[in-house]
Amino acid sequence: MSESNLEKSIFGDMANLEKSLTEDHSGDKARAMIDYFKVVAEASDQRVGVTEDPNDRKLIQELAQGFRASQRIIAHVWETAHGTVLVH
């Protein structure tokens, strides 16, 4: 996939995510996504403790940080779209 196509794909995915969260008036979808990213972040944290290779440990830590960032992004997009705080 070319860089241009990759960029279009990413922006398309982000637009679909924003649309989905905007249409999620109850917040149920947003909470489900946030819960999913919480579970995988916690699983990643547990994996760091048993991984011996420092490069693997660093990658897993970065993934966990990315999962936590995803939680914050989803909450922010939902809250911005709905003008209220998403209660988890």
Side-chain angles (χ1 to χ4, degrees), residues 67-82:
F67 295 141
R68 287 190 179 85
S70 296
Q71 290 176 277
R72 293 188 303 273
I73 291 166
I74 290 166
H76 178 75
V77 170
W78 189 93
E79 290 171 352
T80 299
H82 298 283

Side-chain angles (χ1 to χ4, degrees), residues 19-77:
K19 182 179 184 288
S20 179
L21 292 173
T22 299
E23 294 173 353
D24 177 26
H25 298 286
S26 69
D28 291 342
K29 287 181 185 178
R31 280 188 286 279
M33 286 185 234
I34 290 168
D35 288 345
Y36 168 77
F37 285 116
K38 178 182 180 185
V39 168
V40 294
E42 289 171 351
S44 297
D45 289 338
Q46 292 173 358
R47 184 78 183 130
V48 167
V50 297
T51 302
E52 293 182 21
D53 185 298
N55 293 323
D56 288 346
R57 205 170 19 257
K58 183 176 187 275
L59 175 63
I60 294 167
Q61 289 170 330
E62 290 171 353
L63 285 170
Q65 290 172 356
F67 295 141
R68 287 190 179 85
S70 296
Q71 290 176 277
R72 293 188 303 273
I73 291 166
I74 290 166
H76 178 75
V77 170

Side-chain angles (χ1 to χ4, degrees), residues 4-24:
S4 175
N5 287 341
L6 179 62
E7 187 175 301
K8 287 178 187 175
S9 176
I10 290 170
F11 284 122
D13 290 345
M14 294 300 287
N16 288 336
L17 176 62
E18 182 178 11
K19 182 179 184 288
S20 179
L21 292 173
T22 299
E23 294 173 353
D24 177 26

